[in-house]
């Protein structure tokens, strides 16, 4: 096994990507169909010298921002981005437990919070911790968001789903707005230098690239407590939802309740939950 797997991986991908695939002219006298180091370095916004050090194994600890830029430039898939990140962690001596000294991240809802969810049935409601992990939800929430793939992961995370699951782009017609709001909450509702947020941000910097990092550095956008959302449901069709966020500050958790914004959505949610038509009424908002 090579002792420079990261460098070999980068070089292999660079040589496999053609100039046409990244919008560059092929040009004359090209000895290889792949990208030159100078071309990849320019696309990623780094120096040729630094890329050379990475490929030769003389630098094995690039930042998440550099990895994300290289992944964007090479048009890597999510699977390849995850492998790239793992190779860096292994080259750096393993994936350290950066959160070991931090307060424990809540991954379970209190019995009283679960009792509140029971009373909200069958409305779509979910409990999230401060990094967006889904830790409890109603059956109504599962019927609404399960079919779009949000709950497929062993440990579902709303932020990770929106930025790394291709189905999210179809499920959320207003994806840009949803992404803005999630990152704004991650930046504004959590203490600075929180290690769990830092770890998630480092992961998404690599796996989602500029779509995430461009939002993460923008402190001007603030999260909304109340808002509307469009969802394209594979069974119920287009839905217009309102959501209300209720904070549980002792646990760093929040409850999000989704409500129909029009009668068509109310009827669709009734159908998904097996209720009689008209059981759920649309919420009228001030215009």
């Amino acid at each position: 096994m090579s002792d420079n797997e990261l460098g070999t991986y980068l070089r292999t991908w660079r040589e496999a990507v053609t100039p046409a695939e990244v919008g560059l002219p092929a040009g004359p006298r090209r000895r290889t169909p792949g990208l030159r180091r100078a071309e990849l370095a320019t696309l990623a916004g780094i120096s040729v010298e630094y890329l050379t050090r990475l490929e030769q194994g003389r630098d094995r600890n690039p930042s998440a921002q550099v990895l994300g830029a290289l992944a964007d430039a090479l048009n890597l898939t999510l699977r390849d981005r995850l492998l790239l990140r793992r190779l860096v962690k292994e080259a750096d001596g393993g994936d350290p437990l950066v959160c070991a000294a931090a307060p424990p991240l809540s991954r379970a809802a209190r019995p009283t919070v679960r009792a509140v969810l029971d009373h909200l049935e069958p409305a779509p409601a979910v409990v999230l911790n401060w990094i967006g992990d889904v830790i409890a939800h109603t059956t109504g929430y599962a019927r609404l968001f399960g079919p779009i793939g949000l709950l497929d992961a062993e440990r579902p995370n709303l932020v990770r789903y929106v930025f790394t699951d291709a189905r999210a782009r179809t499920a959320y017609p207003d994806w840009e707005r949803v992404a803005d709001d999630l990152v704004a909450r991650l930046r504004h509702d959590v203490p600075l230098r929180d290690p769990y947020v830092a770890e998630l941000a480092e992961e998404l910097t690599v796996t989602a690239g500029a779509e995430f990092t461009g939002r993460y550095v923008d402190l001007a956008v603030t999260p909304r407590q109340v808002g509307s959302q469009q969802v394209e449901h594979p069974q119920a069709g287009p839905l217009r939802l309102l959501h209300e966020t209720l904070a549980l500050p002792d646990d760093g958790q929040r409850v999000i309740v989704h409500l129909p914004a029009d009668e068509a959505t109310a009827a669709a949610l009734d159908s998904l939950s097996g209720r009689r038509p008209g059981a759920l009424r649309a919420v009228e908002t001030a215009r």
Side-chain angles (χ1 to χ4, degrees):
M1 181 180 294
S2 169
D3 64 351
N4 182 28
E5 291 189 71
L6 172 61
T8 300
Y9 187 79
L10 288 174
R11 186 174 62 256
T12 300
W13 265 105
R14 175 174 61 79
E15 293 174 350
V17 175
T18 66
E21 289 176 314
V22 293
L24 295 176
R29 298 180 182 177
R30 182 175 289 272
R31 296 179 180 178
T32 173
L35 296 177
R36 299 185 177 103
R37 277 180 180 157
E39 291 170 332
L40 177 57
T42 299
L43 290 170
I46 62 177
S47 70
V48 178
E49 291 76 12
Y50 186 54
L51 178 58
T52 301
R53 293 204 306 273
L54 290 175
E55 290 191 356
Q56 293 178 349
R58 292 185 286 120
D59 189 316
R60 305 190 181 198
N61 191 28
S63 69
Q65 288 75 17
V66 167
L67 289 181
L70 286 168
D72 284 348
L74 293 169
N75 292 325
L76 297 187
T77 65
L78 174 59
R79 181 178 180 180
D80 292 322
R81 288 168 183 258
L82 290 171
L83 176 56
L84 178 63
R85 180 172 180 260
R86 182 172 65 80
L87 290 175
V88 172
K89 293 294 185 182
E90 291 176 353
D92 194 34
D95 197 348
L97 298 176
V98 298
C99 302
L105 181 68
S106 57
R107 298 197 185 276
R110 298 195 310 269
T112 49
V113 175
R114 288 187 172 275
V116 170
L117 288 183
D118 290 341
H119 285 288
L120 290 173
E121 290 282 13
V126 63
V127 181
L128 305 175
N129 62 18
W130 65 80
I131 64 170
D133 288 336
V134 176
I135 59 177
H137 56 77
T138 62
T139 56
Y141 187 87
R143 291 190 183 102
L144 177 57
F145 292 103
I148 68 173
L150 199 160
L151 302 177
D152 283 1
E154 181 179 354
R155 185 173 289 170
N157 179 283
L158 180 57
V159 184
R160 185 181 290 114
Y161 167 78
V162 166
F163 279 96
T164 64
D165 195 314
R167 292 172 292 183
R169 302 278 184 156
T170 301
Y172 294 110
D174 53 350
W175 184 91
E176 297 283 346
R177 185 180 182 189
V178 172
D180 287 346
D181 194 57
L182 285 174
V183 177
R185 188 172 298 282
L186 201 64
R187 294 290 277 128
H188 288 270
D189 288 3
V190 178
L192 292 176
R193 294 180 295 279
D194 178 84
Y196 299 101
V197 172
E199 180 71 3
L200 179 62
E202 189 269 348
E203 172 194 331
L204 291 176
T205 295
V206 178
T207 58
E211 290 279 21
F212 175 78
T213 55
R215 290 174 167 85
Y216 194 68
V217 298
D218 185 1
L219 296 176
V221 181
T222 56
R224 299 169 297 148
Q225 294 298 111
V226 182
S228 61
Q229 192 174 88
Q230 298 179 55
V231 173
E232 188 67 33
H233 196 276
Q235 299 164 5
L239 305 174
R240 290 184 60 242
L241 300 165
L242 302 172
H243 63 264
E244 188 78 37
T245 302
L246 311 172
L248 304 173
D250 289 345
D251 299 301
Q253 299 173 0
R254 63 187 187 274
V255 179
I256 301 176
V257 184
H258 295 273
L259 302 164
D262 55 40
E263 292 301 336
T265 299
L269 293 180
D270 282 339
S271 177
L272 285 174
S273 63
R275 291 180 294 185
R276 61 178 177 81
L280 186 61
R281 296 182 179 179
V283 177
E284 295 184 5
T285 58
R287 295 183 182 275

